[in-house]
Amino acid sequence: MMQSLILRTATRLLASLILVFSVYLLFRGHNSPGGGFSGALVAGTGFALYAIAEGAASVRRAIRIDPRDLIVFGMGLALASGLPAAFSEKPFLTGLWWTVAELPDYRLVLGTPFFFDVGVYAIVLGTILTLILALEES
Amino acid sequence: MTRSGNPLTEWIGRATAVLPLLVVLAVCGLLPKTAAGEAYRFSLSWVPALGVELSFMIDGLSLLFALIISVVGFFVTIYAVDYLHGHSQIGRFFVFLHAFMLSMLGLVTADNVLALFVFWELTTIFSYLLIGFEHEASASRKSARQALLVTGAGGLALLAGFLLLGIITGTYEISEMVDFAAHLKAHPLYGAVLVLIFLGAFTKSAQFPFHFWLPNAMAAPAPISAFLHSATMVKGGIYLLARFYPILGGTNAWMCPLMIIGAITAVGGAIIAMGQSDLKKILAYTTITALGIMTMFLGGSATPSLTAAMTFLLVHALYKSALFLVAGIIDHQTGTRQLEKLGGLLRFMPFTAFAAAAACLSMAGFPLFFGFIGKEIMYKGALAEVMCPELAAGTAVLANALMTAVGGVLIIRPFLKGPGHYPSPVREATFFMWCGPVFLGGLDILFGIFPEWVGHWLVAPAVRAFHFSPEDIKLHLYHGINMPLLLSIITLTLGVCFYLTHRRIHDFVAKATNKMPVTASQIYEWCLEGVAGLGKLQTRLIQNGSLHRYFFIVAATFVLVTGYSFFSRAGALPLPGLPLLALREWLLIIAITAAVLTVLATRILLLAVCALGVVGAGLAIIFLSYGAPDLALTQLLVETLTVVIVSIILLRLPGLGSQTRQHPGRGLLDALLAVGAGVLVTTLLLAVLSTDLDRSITAFFEQNSYLAAHGKNIVNVILVDFRSMDTLGEIIVVATAGLAGYALIQKKRDK
């Protein structure tokens, strides 16, 4: 934790923006540069900045859950995203897609790869946070 | 031992006796079929691509083993509840026990050699867990490890043998291999197959020189010794030899090793048994003797020899499991297993004494006991052999006479002779403890008086399963006055002589075993130390903890190996010329070079890290300028995060300061390696680029990523859709690395 007023003020402004950007990267990843891995790295950087400025305890308060649980959750989600295919007698992890909403110009489709990507996101972010917080607290 | 058992667990443990009981009933249901010479077979597909099937076949041989396993398993289960009464780990015990029993049943019924191998190693693992059951005692752990290493290594040899068999015959099913027997015996690899299979059988069945693990395995609780180390697992090797007899057996190469090793094991085990005073050790060494006798007779080729092996298998399983259970009762009720402290138990333990007497007399081979029949058929077999019948008969007489003496010692010393010295009053064991030995001992008498029944239902089908001969296989109580009867009388007379001098023999053997210059056990220890020493040596040489050295070795290996193979095939890939670069690329190169020089020159850690970040960012811009935004993004983010994380660490470290290198030449060497690696990689990449690339894969993804996977970003679509299994593996690695790193940091903090 650094006692720098500039850093702390800037962090408060930046951290939320960084996190929004991270989620944006995650969502657009399927069609443009981004995805679960990149998104998680951005989020990890944001939390690291927050940890340096405000201390590890503040990060723990902010994320509420143990980062190790995040890893477990991500792993479960990634594995579970392969199951629908397996149940419909296709190879494990085959992508399945559903149309959620149809508008005149747009069609919103949702597929199992999205959940897989969210799983990747959770695992990578969980890993980064686990390490950063452990280092910051030691 | 912790005494805080849970009554509920104990009841569940006792209830699990239903499992072996059901197996007994199921196996008995197949009796008429196998007695008629038929086999019951079924199979499930397991790994069809590798020829691994879960196929099972129950013929007479499997049935005999399955019956021994399930009957002894049943009595051991109910016995163990009272034996381990109050033990805190009793639940674990029953899980291991039944898991072992099922693996053993799988082993003797498997028809696919690879499935057989899996069950074989499962029995090894569960025996390891059971021998090491009292895992708080270091002797127990050591013995368990020894048994695991010896039988596990033998199992690996066995696997190699099975694979060779599969390659030669083209099938992994035992029942199909039989058709290739003649082809196999003429094959140049026949000798290798034999050696490998023998290694497996000899380690499992504790044949010389691998016999030493069995007496040490007596660290296990008594029910385990009764089950694994007398009745079932150690007979796995015997089963294997019998099962492969029609495929590999009958040649000189098969007979000689089995007869010689078997004979050495039989006599050696019996002599050492005379020098022991611990009840379980005596039983362990006589088990080795019995296994040696069975191995020896499986080396024979006449029908009576093989019948003798199978009969003695049943004889031994009955009396030895009863005796181990009796030894457990004595230990449990009196607190000691030392012969010299015991005596006069007949008065306190009538039921146990009856069981012990029946089993011992069977072991000694007295008429009207099952052991007598086993001995008679043994002598008949030995005399019917073509290959040195005198040796076989002589060995059998000597080993049997010694066993007679041991049987006498075991019944007379603890039960009949003078009063023992016990710390507390001795009582008879509970019903559940003595019913097993009494039943098994009773069978010794029943089978001894009516051997025709056992011969017809159990022994004959077992022998028929692996040996084709028109000869009749019948067991009789009385064969008339002939050579075997004479040998029996000699055996008993010799046995009585040995018994009368057993004190002197005991002292002599005990002294002699102490003075042995080299024992198999010591050779095992040397091997173990050798392996540990080798491990230490390579750790000192290669894994000395210096990151610098690791990286140097890896990079140098890469440069030398890749460089050599690249330049030695200089014609295969054209050496490229240097491409023309635009101005912005030159600027980037200059920036990266400056950053690298900064890293090398600076003494301030944070500056070094940031300069390293500049190098990474420069690379990211190069990626971007060549049209790989995904790669550039990831590279930039990883680089940023690395700088942040390393900064967090470095903020806590002292600066590099005036730390100097130990050797002035080392810097030069590092520089040379770095330049060499750089030049090599650059040349390689340019060479690759100068050839025509196969773009069909790219074309496939370009066409399919939107149509099949609803995504326009090919990189991401590949990651989460086309190759998502790879990504799954990678994120598992990431998660594991994260948790491992966390554990490391946590450990550091606790110190």
Side-chain angles (χ1 to χ4, degrees):
Chain A
M1 183 172 160
M2 284 168 92
Q3 299 297 334
S4 154
L5 189 63
I6 299 174
L7 181 67
R8 294 180 71 170
T9 316
T11 302
R12 277 183 205 169
L13 289 170
L14 277 175
S16 48
L17 271 179
I18 292 176
L19 290 180
V20 170
F21 179 57
S22 135
V23 176
Y24 168 70
L25 274 182
L26 166 68
F27 279 124
R28 71 173 216 149
H30 213 53
N31 291 318
S32 316
F37 190 71
S38 318
L41 290 179
V42 170
T45 316
F47 280 117
L49 186 66
Y50 198 60
I52 292 174
E54 303 276 348
S58 311
V59 178
R60 280 202 189 279
R61 268 201 306 280
I63 55 175
R64 285 157 202 262
I65 61 169
D66 191 318
R68 281 171 296 165
D69 293 342
L70 204 57
I71 298 180
V72 177
F73 165 75
M75 191 69 76
L77 190 63
L79 286 173
S81 75
L83 290 180
F87 282 128
S88 52
E89 294 183 357
K90 286 183 181 142
F92 182 65
L93 280 174
T94 306
L96 295 181
W97 295 85
W98 301 278
T99 304
V100 181
E102 288 225 56
L103 295 170
D105 293 337
Y106 288 102
R107 203 156 60 95
L108 183 63
V109 289
L110 193 62
T112 53
F114 170 72
F115 294 104
F116 185 77
D117 222 10
V118 175
V120 173
Y121 181 92
I123 289 178
V124 174
L125 180 60
T127 304
I128 295 171
L129 284 177
T130 304
L131 290 179
I132 288 180
L133 293 182
L135 283 171
E136 190 65 34
E137 281 161 2
S138 67
Chain B
M1 217 191 281
T2 35
R3 292 269 165 211
S4 55
N6 180 347
L8 179 67
T9 327
E10 285 181 20
W11 267 108
I12 295 173
R14 193 165 279 155
T16 56
V18 174
L19 181 67
L21 204 60
L22 285 176
V23 178
V24 174
L25 293 177
V27 171
C28 283
L30 289 170
L31 262 178
K33 210 169 177 178
T34 55
E38 288 171 45
Y40 176 74
R41 193 172 187 288
F42 77 96
S43 84
L44 298 166
S45 186
W46 190 8
V47 193
L50 291 176
V52 186
E53 305 262 325
L54 266 182
S55 54
F56 297 95
M57 186 180 69
I58 302 180
D59 56 5
L61 182 65
S62 307
L63 185 114
L64 175 62
F65 272 90
L67 209 56
I68 295 176
I69 294 163
S70 49
V71 170
V72 179
F74 170 72
F75 285 113
V76 163
T77 308
I78 54 174
Y79 175 95
V81 181
D82 284 355
Y83 183 80
L84 291 172
H85 176 67
H87 196 289
S88 60
Q89 305 269 312
I90 202 159
R92 200 162 60 97
F93 178 86
F94 283 104
V95 172
F96 292 164
L97 182 74
H98 291 302
F100 168 81
M101 190 184 75
L102 292 176
S103 341
M104 198 65 213
L105 285 170
L107 164 63
V108 298
T109 52
D111 193 26
N112 185 294
V113 283
L114 297 176
L116 194 155
F117 167 76
V118 171
F119 288 119
W120 181 277
E121 291 298 57
L122 275 178
T123 62
T124 299
I125 290 166
F126 286 115
S127 91
Y128 165 74
L129 292 170
L130 284 165
I131 298 172
F133 183 65
E134 302 289 353
H135 55 82
E136 282 166 22
S138 77
S140 195
R141 291 200 302 271
K142 212 173 154 200
S143 306
R145 185 181 64 186
Q146 191 180 52
L148 178 74
L149 288 179
V150 174
T151 56
L156 292 182
L158 188 66
L159 176 63
F162 283 166
L163 293 178
L164 276 185
L165 268 179
I167 292 167
I168 297 171
T169 61
T171 174
Y172 286 109
E173 303 292 309
I174 298 172
S175 48
E176 289 169 16
M177 281 181 188
V178 179
D179 302 335
F180 295 91
H183 171 63
L184 258 173
K185 286 170 195 167
H187 200 277
L189 284 175
Y190 175 62
V193 173
L194 270 191
V195 169
L196 291 169
I197 296 226
F198 282 171
L199 273 177
F202 288 176
T203 48
K204 197 79 159 179
S205 282
Q207 299 295 303
F208 175 83
F210 308 109
H211 58 280
F212 54 89
W213 70 266
L214 183 55
N216 291 336
M218 294 305 132
I224 293 311
S225 306
F227 194 34
L228 274 62
H229 305 126
S230 74
T232 60
M233 188 184 79
V234 289
K235 296 210 169 78
I238 306 297
Y239 170 78
L240 192 76
L241 294 177
R243 182 49 84 205
F244 281 89
Y245 188 89
I247 301 170
L248 299 167
T251 61
N252 284 347
W254 168 275
M255 283 191 230
C256 283
L258 288 190
M259 289 190 112
I260 294 169
I261 297 283
I264 294 174
T265 312
V267 176
I271 293 175
I272 302 176
M274 292 292 282
Q276 303 296 318
S277 27
D278 181 322
L279 277 181
K280 278 180 79 181
K281 281 269 159 76
I282 298 176
L283 295 176
Y285 279 108
T286 51
T287 304
I288 293 178
T289 300
L291 295 168
I293 291 177
M294 284 177 238
T295 306
M296 187 171 84
F297 279 97
L298 279 173
S301 56
T303 311
S305 294
L306 302 172
T307 313
M310 284 302 112
T311 315
F312 191 56
L313 176 91
L314 185 58
V315 171
H316 177 257
L318 286 178
Y319 76 68
K320 194 53 72 64
S321 52
L323 282 178
F324 265 116
L325 293 178
V326 165
I329 292 178
I330 294 178
D331 190 15
H332 194 255
Q333 303 299 109
T334 68
T336 180
R337 291 199 308 247
Q338 296 300 318
L339 261 188
E340 57 266 28
K341 290 188 190 157
L342 293 166
L345 286 178
L346 177 64
R347 229 168 351 126
F348 312 113
M349 304 181 169
F351 296 111
T352 311
F354 164 76
C360 279
L361 288 170
S362 181
M363 175 170 171
F366 273 90
L368 294 187
F369 290 88
F370 195 29
F372 174 73
I373 316 277
K375 208 157 40 107
E376 290 280 280
I377 186 85
M378 230 185 257
Y379 295 148
K380 192 178 161 201
L383 294 171
E385 273 313 315
V386 213
M387 195 187 264
C388 34
E390 299 82 11
L391 173 83
T395 311
V397 168
L398 188 58
N400 279 326
L402 284 166
M403 289 224 275
T404 307
V406 172
V409 173
L410 284 179
I411 186 66
I412 295 171
R413 281 299 297 270
F415 288 97
L416 300 176
K417 269 209 177 145
H421 307 284
Y422 311 114
S424 53
V426 179
R427 282 181 299 150
E428 176 62 290
T430 57
F431 168 76
F432 286 115
M433 283 181 81
W434 61 252
C435 71
V438 164
F439 181 84
L440 295 166
L443 283 186
D444 281 326
I445 302 174
L446 190 73
F447 288 178
I449 300 174
F450 305 106
E452 292 87 357
W453 187 88
V454 192
H456 176 254
W457 290 102
L458 294 177
V459 176
V463 178
R464 289 262 176 262
F466 66 92
H467 178 66
F468 312 101
S469 145
E471 229 172 306
D472 254 0
I473 299 174
K474 281 209 167 83
L475 298 183
H476 295 293
L477 180 56
Y478 180 65
H479 292 87
I481 296 171
N482 52 15
M483 209 43 195
L485 189 66
L486 186 68
L487 286 176
S488 257
I489 295 168
I490 296 177
T491 308
L492 287 177
T493 324
L494 253 181
V496 172
C497 295
F498 283 148
Y499 174 74
L500 292 175
T501 53
H502 80 264
R503 266 170 203 285
R504 245 176 282 166
I505 298 177
H506 174 274
D507 295 343
F508 176 75
V509 172
K511 235 181 266 169
T513 39
N514 280 338
K515 278 191 187 154
M516 282 261 262
V518 178
T519 62
S521 205
Q522 266 170 338
I523 295 174
Y524 163 82
E525 292 292 336
W526 289 339
C527 289
L528 212 59
E529 277 165 26
V531 170
L534 202 67
K536 277 188 194 130
L537 186 72
Q538 75 91 14
T539 311
R540 229 183 16 251
L541 284 181
I542 303 171
Q543 287 175 281
N544 62 346
S546 154
L547 277 177
H548 178 270
R549 182 182 287 197
Y550 295 169
F551 193 72
F552 191 87
I553 292 174
V554 171
T557 312
F558 166 72
V559 169
L560 289 179
V561 172
T562 319
Y564 172 76
S565 56
F566 177 58
F567 289 108
S568 66
R569 292 177 184 76
L573 283 173
L575 280 176
L578 280 178
L580 288 172
L581 296 176
L583 179 63
R584 52 173 184 162
E585 282 153 355
W586 279 113
L587 287 178
L588 260 177
I589 290 175
I590 291 169
I592 292 173
T593 315
V596 168
L597 291 177
T598 314
V599 173
L600 291 177
T602 183
R603 299 282 97 188
I604 306 162
L605 278 171
L606 266 183
L607 184 58
V609 173
C610 291
L612 212 54
V614 171
V615 175
L619 290 177
I621 297 174
I622 290 183
F623 290 145
L624 197 61
S625 68
Y626 281 95
D630 254 292
L631 202 55
L633 177 69
T634 312
Q635 167 79 22
L636 201 60
L637 291 172
V638 167
E639 220 45 71
T640 314
L641 201 60
T642 312
V643 171
V644 171
I645 292 180
V646 175
S647 310
I648 293 178
I649 301 169
L650 291 188
L651 282 173
R652 291 168 171 73
L653 288 180
L656 278 173
S658 57
Q659 209 177 2
T660 48
R661 293 178 188 278
Q662 283 123 349
H663 301 287
R666 211 158 102 174
L668 192 66
L669 208 59
D670 289 350
L672 264 178
L673 181 63
V675 172
V679 170
L680 178 70
V681 171
T682 311
T683 322
L684 262 178
L685 283 178
L686 287 175
V688 168
L689 285 175
S690 64
T691 58
D692 286 333
L693 291 179
D694 178 10
R695 297 191 60 88
S696 61
I697 297 174
T698 320
F700 169 82
F701 285 124
E702 274 169 358
Q703 274 174 10
N704 287 294
S705 73
Y706 191 69
L707 294 178
H710 298 251
K712 290 176 190 152
N713 177 1
I714 297 180
V715 178
N716 192 284
V717 166
I718 292 174
L719 284 177
V720 299
D721 197 306
F722 288 114
R723 305 218 56 88
S724 49
M725 204 65 178
D726 293 356
T727 310
L728 187 67
E730 280 155 19
I731 55 180
I732 289 172
V733 171
V734 168
T736 315
L739 293 175
Y742 176 77
L744 277 177
I745 298 168
Q746 222 55 7
K747 196 179 160 202
K748 211 61 171 195
R749 186 193 301 169
D750 291 345
K751 267 183 189 165

